[in-house]
Amino acid sequence: RESRPLSCRIFPLTPYARRGEKLKIVMDARGRGMCPLATAMKLEDLSPRFVEKVTEAMELCMHVKETREFIYALTEEIDKIVL
């Protein structure tokens, strides 16, 4: 369990940030086809502590240039799925 990637540990949440905007944590739209949590639940339905800790972790990740660029690219992919 300890060797799972970060994206698995925070699922069904994902970071979402466009350049110049504040980081948000959202339900991962990519999980809709495989996870009931991603389709049936809202962010507010999850444990507030879990959401808070994911937010803290992703805010730290945004301090690393390469990770920040990855989150920007991920946000563009999510926008393509949702829009």
Side-chain angles (χ1 to χ4, degrees), residues 11-47:
F11 190 81
L13 302 179
T14 194
Y16 183 92
R18 292 186 184 120
R19 294 179 194 281
E21 294 183 6
K22 185 175 167 47
L23 171 76
K24 294 187 247 180
I25 301 301
V26 300
M27 296 297 277
D28 194 336
R30 299 169 300 163
R32 288 182 183 157
M34 68 178 138
C35 178
L37 292 176
T39 55
M41 297 182 78
K42 296 180 178 126
L43 198 65
E44 302 81 33
D45 296 331
L46 299 175
S47 160

